[in-house]
Amino acid sequence: MPMTDRPQATASRDPLLQPFQLKHLTLKNRVISTSHASMMDDGGMPLERYQRYHEEKAKGGIAMTMIGGSAMSSRDSSWGGGQLDLSSDTIVPHLTAMAERIHKHGCAIMSQVSHLGRRATAYSSTWLPVVAPSRIRETRNRNFPREMDEYDIRRIVADYADAARRCRDAGLDGVETVTGGHLIGQFLSPLTNTRTDDFGGSIRNRARFGLMVHEAIRKAVGDDFIVGIRLLMDEGGNGGLSAEDCAEIARIFEAEGHLDFFNSIYGRMDSDLLLSEHNMPGLFQKSAPFLKEVEAFRGEVKLPLIHAAAVRDVATARHAIRENIVDLIGMTRAHIADPQIVNKIIRGEEERIRPCVGASYCLYKKVHCVHNPSSGRETVLPHEIAKAKVARKIVIVGGGPGGLEAARVCAERGHQVILFEAASELGGQIRIATAAHERRDLLGIVDWRVEELQRLGVDIRLNNYADENDIMTENPNAIIVATGGIPDTDFIEGGELCTSVWDVLTASVPAADEILIYDGTGRQAAASCALELIARGKKIRYAMLDEMLAFEMSYTDKSGFRKKFAELAIPRTVDVRLIKVERDGSALLASFQNELTGEITTQHASQIVIDNGTVPMDEIFSALRDRSANRGESNFDLRFEQDEDALRAEGSFEIHRIGDAVASRDIYSAIQDAFRLCSNL
């Protein structure tokens, strides 16, 4: 068989690439992106950046993209911004433009249509009171709702129908409603519905509102428009809906005949912890945690079934389709990492798919991916790297995430690239971070780039602590300093007596049996170090500058770390700044100043482990910047203006620094620096 025939032959047998008939709509494969609140709307409208984000997935070969996570059907369904506003006809022309843009790539498009109920806010946007089936406050969104009366029910049912009609009029292929913690789900659950009228009590009564919604939608859109529901299959215990209850609800909805598919979800979302453990599995949950529950639910229903919950890799998605667990598989976060997943499968390049590493950065910074700077920024950062007009020789110093990305982008642009790395392996701080069990999947950021650099033929020189002479010997046109930083231990008197988080995680310094950890950043390093040390049998006390643990983390990581610390009963001191460490006999004495009162307190420990960010390692940059053509000045959005002939002249070069070589930041910042800079070199 000729090599050129192999991808097509493989594709013809791949379960993921088989078409699926959803009512009258033929979907070209089984891979979709489900509705999520991208926070990229402009005043509730899907304008250019919103459309381009979804179009990139359509271009990547996906069968369907679902937009409008928590899209508001009524004016009192706002959480303060970041939702599509389906409550008026203003949105129709924008949806029309978006539908045309998605359809031209052979991709279907649907929108979620919802009312938040008690999840809405009364304190911004329209400043309307929050309504719900019963006057029960949600922990996460903190509003006390007004109990809905018959007028509210009629009004909101009509609003659902109008919102769906707008989607149909705009040329979308369908809509889905949502249960879970949203209004229909609030009626369904005994945890949020204590009514004694026709909308409370029995499961049939609690389903009444949802049935009315779907009947009204069907009347508004007709039989040729697809209507589904994102339906709970289990509320996760604690007095909520059981799997048996949810199966009964599904059968009730099926029997009414207004629905075309179920999109199955698990658990609750009324707190940050529940959201990160159930509905949007985060750092402390395994990949695709609910497939067994979906399989059981599958046996209870007849309608086509969709599922999406941390399905991060192609192998898991393929398994779900091959074993008939679902008909369509949502790889929503995976497509934020790499919108070209389907095309790469078709081309036989599955090993080149940029992996979702479960960092949950997409739940923290709009839809930004921790290692794909273009996602969510399509209007300013292209996914496809253009070839440079002139090939140049570029030396990169440092093989952490920033240096690896710089090497990848420069090589993709056609430049000759040399990468110096002082260590015996690439990865920099990510290698250190993955020494903590919870963060091991971050290694995918490194592994993917290493494989790409090998494919691109980058000259990688390990165990090479390059100095300015080593660099200048290569006669480069450009130098990129990605040397990162070293732990800041000089911020206090007695810092030399302390141990850095890096040294403890990598075991380059032995850990004592009893340790005091000081967290001066609120990032993951110190908190994950604490959990790792406890797993090694150490006794930990924890002191932090911030008012609460994990202050700088996403809500998914924040709630997970807080739960772990509570389960392990780790003693914590908050709102304190470490100001001095000194010896006191055989122990160390740490002095803290309270951020609120100024009170000085002390704690003894046999070992003090600290994280206060990093200090840039910028010696190479400082040594060479005055000899460079650009004097070390970098414009990350526009190519440095320099005469090309002069730049190619003997000894002429420009120099730039990125990532933690500039200031202590995070993985995304280092990779974004590299991508923005090198896309213009």
Side-chain angles (χ1 to χ4, degrees):
M1 178 185 297
M3 287 292 291
T4 54
D5 291 342
R6 289 181 183 175
Q8 289 82 0
T10 301
S12 68
R13 299 189 298 268
D14 193 328
L16 288 176
L17 301 182
Q18 304 311 305
F20 182 74
Q21 195 70 27
L22 181 58
K23 205 172 183 177
H24 63 276
L25 180 65
T26 301
L27 298 173
K28 61 185 177 182
N29 57 60
R30 305 300 185 94
V31 184
I32 70 169
S33 173
T34 52
S35 298
H36 54 289
S38 67
M39 313 295 286
M40 294 173 62
D41 63 285
D42 290 274
M45 299 296 111
L47 304 187
E48 184 69 11
R49 60 177 182 166
Y50 194 101
Q51 294 184 29
R52 288 276 293 277
Y53 163 65
H54 282 277
E55 184 183 20
E56 201 64 38
K57 291 182 280 189
K59 288 163 59 178
I62 204 167
M64 177 170 65
T65 190
M66 303 176 83
I67 67 172
S70 303
M72 50 191 288
S73 57
S74 303
R75 294 182 68 245
D76 55 357
S77 180
S78 172
W79 58 35
Q83 305 157 265
L84 291 190
D85 185 357
L86 297 172
S87 67
S88 78
D89 290 344
T90 305
I91 198 171
V92 173
H94 303 299
L95 288 178
T96 300
M98 186 168 189
E100 292 172 353
R101 179 173 245 163
I102 299 300
H103 283 151
K104 73 180 181 181
H105 300 290
C107 180
I109 177 172
M110 296 189 190
S111 179
Q112 193 171 97
V113 177
S114 184
H115 194 293
L116 292 171
R118 69 177 191 153
R119 303 204 80 219
T121 182
Y123 302 115
S124 66
S125 187
T126 56
W127 290 82
L128 293 170
V130 172
V131 298
S134 300
R135 199 184 66 83
I136 300 173
R137 179 184 189 239
E138 183 187 86
T139 304
R140 187 168 195 264
N141 287 305
R142 307 182 64 80
N143 288 267
F144 287 98
R146 173 175 61 79
E147 184 173 300
M148 293 168 62
D149 57 26
E150 291 186 13
Y151 170 80
D152 295 314
I153 290 172
R154 289 196 302 270
R155 170 180 62 85
I156 292 173
V157 167
D159 286 347
Y160 266 102
D162 286 342
R165 174 189 51 77
R166 292 180 184 109
C167 293
R168 183 208 61 187
D169 292 349
L172 271 64
D173 298 292
V175 295
E176 72 165 9
T177 60
V178 57
T179 60
H182 291 228
L183 185 57
I184 296 175
Q186 292 163 29
F187 270 97
L188 290 171
S189 175
L191 295 174
T192 48
N193 184 349
T194 58
R195 300 173 74 103
T196 57
D197 61 5
D198 291 345
F199 293 90
S202 69
I203 286 180
R204 167 67 68 170
N205 277 0
R206 284 184 271 125
R208 190 181 305 277
F209 175 76
L211 294 171
M212 291 171 62
V213 166
H214 293 109
E215 180 180 16
I217 287 176
R218 183 56 73 192
K219 287 181 179 178
V221 300
D223 292 334
D224 294 332
F225 192 67
I226 293 172
V227 179
I229 183 171
R230 189 179 291 202
L231 186 69
L232 268 174
M233 54 187 176
D234 192 324
E235 208 164 13
N238 297 316
L241 294 167
S242 67
E244 293 74 19
D245 293 335
C246 292
E248 182 179 348
I249 290 167
R251 289 190 291 268
I252 290 172
F253 279 123
E254 277 187 329
E256 291 296 312
H258 299 310
L259 295 176
D260 301 310
F261 68 86
F262 289 128
N263 184 352
S264 55
I265 56 174
Y266 181 91
R268 293 162 55 192
M269 60 176 71
D270 45 310
S271 72
D272 283 351
L273 180 64
L274 289 168
L275 193 61
S276 67
E277 290 188 340
H278 291 176
N279 205 254
M280 299 178 183
L283 178 69
F284 294 96
Q285 279 64 52
K286 65 180 181 179
S287 179
F290 305 124
L291 284 184
K292 286 186 178 180
E293 287 80 4
V294 177
E295 190 170 17
F297 184 72
R298 174 74 156 189
E300 301 290 340
V301 299
K302 299 175 183 177
L303 287 176
L305 190 60
I306 298 170
H307 177 65
V311 180
R312 298 173 187 153
D313 62 277
V314 169
T316 301
R318 187 174 286 125
H319 164 76
I321 299 296
R322 179 186 290 122
E323 299 303 317
N324 197 33
I325 297 172
V326 292
D327 297 297
L328 300 168
I329 191 72
M331 299 185 70
T332 308
R333 280 182 272 182
H335 274 86
I336 297 174
D338 192 340
Q340 286 283 324
I341 288 174
V342 174
N343 281 347
K344 287 180 179 178
I345 296 172
I346 292 171
R347 294 196 300 261
E349 298 177 349
E350 191 171 320
E351 73 285 351
R352 291 196 58 211
I353 293 172
R354 187 189 316 237
C356 173
V357 298
S360 298
Y361 209 88
C362 52
L363 303 178
Y364 177 42
K365 299 286 189 182
K366 297 185 178 179
V367 294
H368 295 168
C369 172
V370 71
H371 74 129
N372 184 347
S374 300
S375 278
R377 305 188 68 193
E378 283 76 12
T379 58
V380 293
L381 294 179
H383 284 267
E384 188 172 339
I385 298 169
K387 291 293 183 183
K389 293 180 180 179
V390 178
R392 308 167 72 202
K393 187 174 185 180
I394 298 179
V395 169
I396 297 165
V397 188
L404 291 173
E405 180 71 352
R408 182 187 76 87
V409 176
C410 288
E412 288 279 13
R413 284 181 57 72
H415 299 311
Q416 179 187 354
V417 180
I418 299 170
L419 173 63
F420 288 105
E421 168 54 43
S424 60
E425 57 185 355
L426 298 166
Q429 291 185 44
I430 289 180
R431 292 277 179 190
I432 299 169
T434 56
H437 177 77
E438 289 79 14
R439 306 184 73 192
R440 63 193 182 281
D441 288 346
L442 292 177
L443 198 58
I445 297 171
V446 176
D447 292 343
W448 181 75
R449 283 174 173 76
V450 170
E451 291 174 4
E452 288 292 289
L453 297 193
Q454 292 170 347
R455 178 183 65 83
L456 292 164
V458 171
D459 182 356
I460 300 172
R461 303 181 187 180
L462 300 175
N463 297 304
N464 200 319
Y465 198 97
D467 59 23
E468 57 185 290
N469 292 326
D470 297 323
I471 295 166
M472 295 311 298
T473 297
E474 299 298 332
N475 193 27
N477 301 118
I479 301 165
I480 300 172
V481 178
T483 44
I486 56 173
D488 181 7
T489 57
D490 294 333
F491 70 101
I492 53 162
E493 180 185 346
E496 73 280 0
L497 301 174
C498 301
T499 305
S500 74
V501 164
W502 291 17
D503 286 338
V504 173
L505 281 175
T506 58
S508 59
V509 173
D513 290 333
E514 296 188 9
I515 301 171
L516 171 63
I517 294 180
Y518 173 67
D519 180 358
T521 69
R523 301 174 186 171
Q524 288 189 343
S528 59
C529 179
L531 298 185
E532 182 65 23
L533 290 174
I534 286 179
R536 297 178 192 176
K538 309 303 181 181
K539 186 175 180 180
I540 302 298
R541 284 174 289 136
Y542 202 86
M544 69 192 85
L545 179 64
D546 297 312
E547 65 189 43
M548 64 181 296
L549 183 68
F551 195 81
E552 280 194 22
M553 300 185 207
S554 69
Y555 67 83
T556 55
D557 294 354
K558 185 179 298 182
S559 58
F561 274 110
R562 289 172 62 197
K563 179 178 179 179
K564 290 290 184 182
F565 270 57
E567 289 174 338
L568 295 167
I570 299 175
R572 278 170 279 176
T573 306
V574 302
D575 288 324
V576 292
R577 182 183 298 273
L578 181 61
I579 57 174
K580 183 170 67 173
V581 174
E582 56 192 319
R583 293 196 181 277
D584 188 9
S586 61
L588 296 175
L589 180 67
S591 296
F592 295 95
Q593 184 174 40
N594 188 282
E595 286 287 279
L596 305 177
T597 67
E599 178 187 6
I600 304 298
T601 58
T602 59
Q603 294 190 45
H604 283 91
S606 55
Q607 186 177 39
I608 298 174
V609 174
I610 60 175
D611 177 40
N612 195 55
T614 58
V615 177
M617 294 179 62
D618 57 2
E619 293 84 358
I620 290 289
F621 178 81
S622 298
L624 294 175
R625 70 178 302 172
D626 288 342
R627 295 162 56 184
S628 67
N630 66 326
R631 297 297 186 267
E633 293 295 324
S634 301
N635 186 330
F636 286 91
D637 298 313
L638 185 67
R639 171 77 175 86
F640 171 69
E641 293 297 332
Q642 175 73 25
D643 181 80
E644 286 293 341
D645 291 333
L647 203 52
R648 288 195 295 272
E650 184 72 22
S652 180
F653 67 93
E654 58 185 279
I655 189 168
H656 306 273
R657 57 178 169 171
I658 60 175
D660 279 11
V662 180
S664 180
R665 291 177 289 165
D666 61 5
I667 295 169
Y668 179 80
S669 299
I671 291 175
Q672 181 188 212
D673 278 0
F675 188 93
R676 292 168 65 193
L677 172 69
C678 297
S679 294
N680 290 307
L681 282 181

